[in-house]
Amino acid sequence: MQIATTSDHPHLSTAALVGEWPLFILKDPISNRYRKTVQQYFPQYDVLALDGSEVLAHAVAVALCWDGTPSTLPDGGYDGAIVQSVRDHESGTTPDTLCVLAATVRATHAGRGLAAAVLTALRTRALANGLSRVVVPVRPTLKANYPLTPMADFATWTRPDGLHLDPWIRTHQRLGATVLGPAERSMVVTGTAAEWQRWTGLHFPRSGRYVVPGGHDVVVFEGDRGVYEETNLWMRHL
């Protein structure tokens, strides 16, 4: 396995990994608005795990300024970190923290330690570039099974060995990460009833709260407008 960046191999596609995410998550307007900017500003933190020309895993991170206090983490988790990293970069602010936005593994290669490999690669790159802290707004794998449970409660669900019930949280814990707390409104997706029907295959005939496949929280409809506000979990590696 080789660790490289997308800028090293621009001809390789990560499209096969997109299917690992619920379709509506791909409609996050902040992520879509800033994707190319993030790639331009932080190419060294856009890493691939390769087997020859096959992309097995993909991880993306941004650099920003954070004082190490949980209360001053970017408002808005994932979305907030993207916006702050771009603003910090454009204002010339010297970053001291790496924020890992996502790490995706091809489903056929799950369980092979690839997620840990790309996370470790990002941590190594952070230290090499003078960043002393690494945080992640984690999107727990099992949270979709409990969309009505607040993240603050879900974060406390541990096994007898002290590790979390959620395998993605455990991956970070085994790399030394600790839980800081919920990342409220980490991703916000808004759409019409027709759009949400295309994204989920469900119907939304009236106002109310709806559980959707792959959703970590409910979609709240008022008339024809549905809003999904996802809470992630802040974890700190360094």
Side-chain angles (χ1 to χ4, degrees), residues 172-206:
H172 290 274
Q173 289 177 324
R174 287 180 174 130
L175 293 173
T178 57
V179 173
L180 297 180
E184 305 286 349
R185 302 184 80 251
S186 198
M187 298 180 185
V188 179
V189 179
T190 301
T192 64
E195 288 173 325
W196 277 104
Q197 182 178 349
R198 289 198 301 272
W199 299 340
T200 66
L202 301 179
H203 293 274
F204 305 91
R206 58 177 62 89

Side-chain angles (χ1 to χ4, degrees), residues 128-194:
N129 284 279
L131 306 181
S132 58
R133 306 182 184 94
V134 177
V135 293
V136 190
V138 174
R139 189 174 195 270
T141 305
L142 297 183
K143 184 61 173 69
N145 296 337
Y146 307 96
L148 303 181
T149 300
M151 181 62 81
D153 292 339
F154 184 82
T156 67
W157 294 2
T158 58
R159 308 187 309 184
D161 64 1
L163 294 177
H164 202 275
L165 288 175
D166 185 85
W168 188 219
I169 294 177
R170 289 200 304 273
T171 294
H172 290 274
Q173 289 177 324
R174 287 180 174 130
L175 293 173
T178 57
V179 173
L180 297 180
E184 305 286 349
R185 302 184 80 251
S186 198
M187 298 180 185
V188 179
V189 179
T190 301
T192 64

Side-chain angles (χ1 to χ4, degrees), residues 35 73 89 106:
R35 180 174 292 110
L73 283 162
H89 183 88
R106 190 184 291 262

Side-chain angles (χ1 to χ4, degrees), residues 30 64-66 69-85 87 137 182-188 234:
I30 296 296
L64 48 80
C65 190
W66 176 53
T69 305
S71 62
T72 62
L73 283 162
D75 288 336
Y78 176 94
D79 285 349
I82 292 175
V83 173
Q84 182 180 331
S85 69
R87 289 177 177 172
E184 305 286 349
R185 302 184 80 251
S186 198
M187 298 180 185
V188 179
W234 281 116

